């Protein structure tokens, strides 16, 4: 199963790509529906670094445990287009029952805005749980889209590269 987005963001492509590597952006685009917290004593890094997994906890509405997972990004190109993939996996709760792949791609539009594609493919154990979970994931993905549209114009390269 999967949930996905294809939206236009009012920000240059390099700014969007940098924002996707900022843990604070991940937190900001899902709150308050899904609240992520770092499980590291030092908190979130300033940027996701390829090959350096980071443990996180997610709670629905900040109070209902959804489980622990880790963010472990990989950056690669497909036909010259940069792709960011999260290779992380769940370690407890619902996340531990989910095999998932999360890919995000930002491409430049002729008018200077960015076409953003975001796809989460997943399988749950047992499979009926995946079907039951899909409506909630769809809502989270629609919220992500709304938050990204709202926040993207305020993203600046110097903000997301710190």
């Amino acid at each position: 199963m999967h949930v996905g987005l294809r939206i236009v963001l009012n920000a240059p492509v390099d700014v969007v790509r940098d924002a996707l590597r900022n843990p604070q952006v991940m937190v900001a685009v899902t709150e308050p529906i899904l609240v992520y917290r770092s499980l590291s004593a030092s908190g979130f890094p300033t940027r996701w670094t390829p090959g350096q997994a980071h443990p996180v906890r997610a709670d629905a509405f900040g109070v209902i445990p959804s489980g622990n997972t880790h963010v472990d990004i990989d950056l690669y190109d497909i036909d010259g287009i940069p792709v960011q993939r999260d290779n992380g996996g769940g370690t407890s709760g619902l996340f531990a029952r989910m095999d998932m792949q999360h890919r995000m791609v930002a491409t430049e539009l002729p008018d200077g805005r960015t076409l953003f594609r975001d796809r989460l493919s997943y399988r749950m154990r047992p499979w009926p749980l995946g079907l039951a979970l899909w409506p909630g994931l769809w809502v989270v993905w629609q919220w992500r889209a709304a938050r990204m549209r709202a926040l993207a114009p305020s993203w600046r390269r110097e903000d997301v590269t710190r």
Side-chain angles (χ1 to χ4, degrees):
M1 301 190 75
H2 75 271
V3 290
L5 298 175
R6 182 183 166 108
I7 59 174
V8 174
L9 299 175
N10 287 319
V13 70
D14 62 329
V15 169
V16 172
R17 288 176 183 157
D18 282 340
L20 296 177
R21 294 197 45 208
N22 183 335
Q24 295 309 314
V25 169
M26 178 189 79
V27 171
V29 300
T30 59
E31 283 185 335
I33 295 175
L34 194 58
V35 177
Y36 288 103
R37 294 182 176 92
S38 174
L39 293 176
S40 170
S42 58
F44 282 114
T46 56
R47 293 178 49 85
W48 301 124
T49 302
Q52 292 183 4
H54 187 88
V56 298
R57 182 178 88 212
D59 298 312
F61 303 103
V63 294
I64 302 167
S66 297
N68 295 345
T69 186
H70 61 279
V71 175
D72 185 9
I73 70 161
D74 181 22
L75 303 173
Y76 61 96
D77 285 6
I78 295 179
D79 296 329
I81 299 171
V83 177
Q84 180 172 313
R85 178 178 57 203
D86 182 0
N87 298 309
T91 56
S92 71
L94 282 176
F95 286 133
R97 296 176 170 268
M98 184 183 288
D99 294 322
M100 63 181 146
Q101 183 180 70
H102 183 196
R103 291 182 314 242
M104 295 178 283
V105 177
T107 53
E108 185 174 13
L109 293 172
D111 63 3
R113 296 182 302 161
T114 299
L115 175 62
F116 176 67
R117 288 167 286 179
D118 183 12
R119 182 180 174 108
L120 175 71
S121 301
Y122 70 97
R123 286 189 312 238
M124 296 291 291
R125 296 176 307 275
W127 74 265
L129 184 57
L131 191 59
L133 189 59
W134 188 87
L137 285 172
W138 184 85
V139 168
V140 170
W141 245 243
Q142 300 313 302
W143 180 252
R144 277 173 59 89
R147 294 293 294 148
M148 285 189 154
R149 283 186 189 112
L151 294 173
S154 69
W155 294 337
R156 297 186 316 255
R157 186 166 180 77
E158 58 271 14
D159 289 340
V160 296
T161 58
R162 277 189 267 168

